[in-house]
């Protein structure tokens, strides 16, 4: 999403260009083909001019591992402009030292501890803080998000066959869904959650339309949990949208204070954060107090600390798809665990976010979306 958005911006600046050159650096180059980065760039620029993509996986720009440089050229082959920008996770862009999109600051409080204190002081919940800070159209936006999430699940459940790429990985969502229907309630519930998460993740792996929650690689967790709870517990759309608002708040706290980029902090910043978001949403739906919601989110992230981003062949398939299914189940467990407590615990969500950021920086680059370490190293088809 980031490279596509950057391509659109650069094209709008230079519609007169005869040719474009795009240089991809670091993680963006190492896993770019598996993540369909080149497809996103070519689909945007190639209808208007010739495009050359240069891959530099061994060059890491200091600001962020996902760097890219766009160059426009005239008919003489001369470079008329150059722009270096970074894809920092979830479709967001940044220039060195600052966000690319200088939107006004909407949220006065940027830590969970501050917002939890506000909730306890005012008697309100997290979604009400979102409502207080955002524009009036926030609920229309979240309704579109929820509709897109549902559609991704339902499309994914209908699809069969093999995912694109050299792994020849067969889609599993439809078979999990059918098998789950044959079990009694406990196993059926878990199997359906797996199926929903697999459905969205498989849609992502095949280039389908999904919601970054918080990223493409972790897009199956939040929709799976919310879809399952709405189907099984008959929660209204209004309550689901409020849960989405809380989930989004959790994700944005992490994005503000750490990172949601697998290339920067590993999969803990993607699937781990998605699990925290879904855990908080589930806790809220089941009537959790602000403290219990914070605790559920804390557990969702804490128990993914240190998780590496090591996609086999650079594809968002192995281990990414299964991780989404497991994280969705973990989110439901985090809600149950939190519900057995009064919400009091020793390690705050903000502390875990800080630890996640430091852990991510301490991880060797091999384990941060390069497709060269961990499970991706020396992979052989079984």
């Amino acid at each position: 999403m980031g490279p596509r958005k950057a391509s659109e911006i650069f094209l709008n600046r230079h519609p007169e260009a005869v040719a474009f050159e795009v240089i991809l650096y670091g993680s963006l180059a190492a896993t770019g083909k598996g993540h369909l980065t080149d497809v996103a760039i070519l689909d945007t620029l190639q209808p208007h001019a010739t495009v050359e993509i240069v891959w530099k996986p061994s060059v890491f720009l200091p600001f962020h591992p996902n760097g890219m440089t766009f160059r426009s050229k005239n008919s003489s082959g001369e470079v008329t402009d150059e722009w270096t920008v970074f894809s920092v996770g979830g479709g967001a862009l940044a220039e060195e030292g600052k966000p690319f999109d200088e939107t006004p600051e909407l949220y006065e409080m940027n830590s969970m501890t501050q917002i939890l204190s506000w909730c306890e002081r005012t008697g309100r919940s997290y979604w009400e803080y979102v409502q207080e800070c955002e524009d009036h159209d926030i609920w229309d936006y979240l309704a579109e998000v929820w509709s897109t999430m549902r559609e991704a699940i339902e499309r994914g459940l209908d699809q069969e066959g093999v995912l694109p790429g050299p792994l020849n990985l067969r889609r599993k969502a439809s078979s999990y869904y059918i098998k789950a229907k044959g079990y009694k309630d406990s196993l059926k519930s878990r199997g359906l959650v797996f199926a929903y998460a697999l459905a969205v993740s498989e849609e992502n792996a095949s280039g389908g339309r999904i919601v970054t929650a918080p990223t493409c690689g972790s897009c199956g967790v939040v929709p799976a949990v919310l879809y399952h709870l709405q189907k099984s517990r008959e929660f209204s759309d209004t309550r689901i949208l409020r849960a989405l608002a809380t989930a989004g708040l959790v994700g944005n706290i992490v994005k503000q204070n750490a990172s949601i980029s697998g290339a920067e902090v590993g999969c803990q910043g993607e699937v781990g954060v998605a699990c925290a978001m879904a855990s908080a949403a589930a806790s809220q739906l089941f009537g959790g107090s602000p403290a219990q919601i914070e605790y559920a989110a804390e557990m969702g992230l804490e128990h993914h600390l240190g998780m590496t981003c090591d996609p086999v062949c650079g594809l968002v398939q192995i281990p990414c798809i299964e991780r989404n299914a497991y994280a969705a189940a973990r989110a439901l467990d985090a809600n149950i665990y939190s519900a057995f407590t009064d919400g009091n615990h020793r390690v705050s969500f903000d502390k875990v976010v800080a630890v996640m950021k430091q852990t991510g920086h301490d991880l060797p680059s091999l384990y941060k979306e390069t497709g060269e370490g961990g499970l991706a190293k020396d992979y052989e088809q079984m």
Side-chain angles (χ1 to χ4, degrees):
M1 289 182 67
R4 180 185 293 278
K5 187 185 297 183
S7 300
E8 291 169 349
I9 291 167
F10 199 67
L11 176 62
N12 287 334
R13 291 180 184 177
H14 298 286
E16 80 293 343
V18 173
F20 293 103
E21 180 184 39
V22 184
I23 306 171
L24 302 177
Y25 301 101
S27 299
L28 206 58
T31 62
K33 290 184 179 178
H35 286 60
L36 304 179
T37 302
D38 54 338
V39 175
I41 293 169
L42 293 172
D43 281 354
T44 305
L45 298 179
Q46 210 164 40
H48 305 276
T50 60
V51 182
E52 179 188 8
I53 298 178
V54 179
W55 305 84
K56 294 190 175 181
S58 60
V59 178
F60 286 79
L61 301 183
F63 178 67
H64 194 279
N66 283 344
M68 49 191 157
T69 296
F70 290 82
R71 290 175 180 158
S72 56
K73 296 181 180 181
N74 60 23
S75 57
S76 301
E78 298 168 328
V79 175
T80 58
D81 192 19
E82 181 174 296
W83 180 45
T84 298
V85 66
F86 301 86
S87 179
V88 296
L93 299 173
E95 293 175 313
E96 188 155 356
K98 63 176 183 179
F100 171 72
D101 185 12
E102 293 285 4
T103 54
E105 179 62 63
L106 293 179
Y107 290 81
E108 181 181 338
M109 294 178 280
N110 285 305
S111 75
M112 185 69 93
T113 302
Q114 289 175 309
I115 300 170
L116 172 58
S117 177
W118 178 88
C119 290
E120 291 178 338
R121 186 173 67 253
T122 63
R124 299 179 184 178
S125 193
Y126 297 99
W127 69 264
E128 291 175 284
Y129 179 65
V130 172
Q131 180 175 257
E132 184 166 292
C133 295
E134 291 280 356
D135 294 332
H136 67 280
D137 61 352
I138 182 62
W139 299 114
D140 292 335
Y141 171 72
L142 289 175
E144 183 181 358
V145 166
W146 178 230
S147 175
T148 304
M149 286 179 166
R150 286 200 314 264
E151 289 166 4
I153 290 174
E154 288 158 8
R155 276 198 318 275
L157 290 176
D158 271 343
Q159 298 297 323
E160 295 178 295
V162 175
L163 293 170
L167 293 176
N168 296 319
L169 191 66
R170 177 165 285 282
R171 286 177 177 261
K172 300 182 180 71
S174 60
S175 63
Y176 271 57
Y177 181 70
I178 297 301
K179 289 175 182 177
K181 293 282 192 177
Y183 286 99
K184 292 187 177 178
D185 287 349
S186 180
L187 286 177
K188 177 181 178 181
S189 175
R190 190 53 50 100
L192 289 174
V193 173
F194 288 159
Y196 301 147
L198 291 171
V200 182
S201 296
E202 288 169 358
E203 280 296 287
N204 174 61
S206 59
R209 188 166 186 254
I210 52 85
V211 175
T212 56
T215 65
C216 290
S218 57
C219 64
V221 183
V222 173
V225 169
L226 294 183
Y227 189 85
H228 176 62
L229 293 181
Q230 184 171 55
K231 286 282 188 182
S232 61
R233 303 287 179 152
E234 298 182 348
F235 288 118
S236 67
D237 277 347
T238 297
R239 293 192 67 188
I240 293 292
L241 297 189
R242 289 171 180 169
L244 263 180
T246 296
L249 182 64
V250 169
N252 276 299
I253 288 170
V254 181
K255 186 176 180 181
Q256 175 77 15
N257 297 299
S259 175
I260 57 168
S261 169
E264 190 174 8
V265 295
C267 198
Q268 56 176 355
E270 297 201 32
V271 164
V273 176
C275 185
M277 294 166 65
S279 300
S283 180
Q284 178 176 298
L285 283 169
F286 281 104
S289 68
Q292 288 172 320
I293 294 169
E294 186 268 351
Y295 193 9
E298 185 272 335
M299 281 186 286
L301 182 56
E302 178 188 339
H303 302 304
H304 286 89
L305 285 176
M307 180 175 277
T308 58
C309 182
D310 46 359
V312 173
C313 295
L315 299 166
V316 195
Q317 295 183 17
I318 300 174
C320 321
I321 293 175
E322 284 184 357
R323 283 182 179 173
N324 276 259
Y326 267 73
R330 273 185 162 185
L332 294 173
D333 288 340
N335 163 57
I336 294 170
Y337 192 98
S338 174
F340 276 96
T341 76
D342 59 5
N344 289 320
H345 57 111
R346 300 295 180 91
V347 179
S348 71
F349 180 78
D350 292 326
K351 172 65 174 176
V352 174
V353 172
V355 171
M356 188 268 281
K357 181 179 182 179
Q358 186 61 55
T359 303
H361 289 173
D362 290 341
L363 282 173
S365 60
L366 279 177
Y367 300 104
K368 293 186 284 188
E369 207 172 337
T370 61
E372 296 177 355
L375 296 173
K377 185 178 180 180
D378 303 325
Y379 174 80
E380 293 181 10
Q381 186 82 18
M382 292 179 65

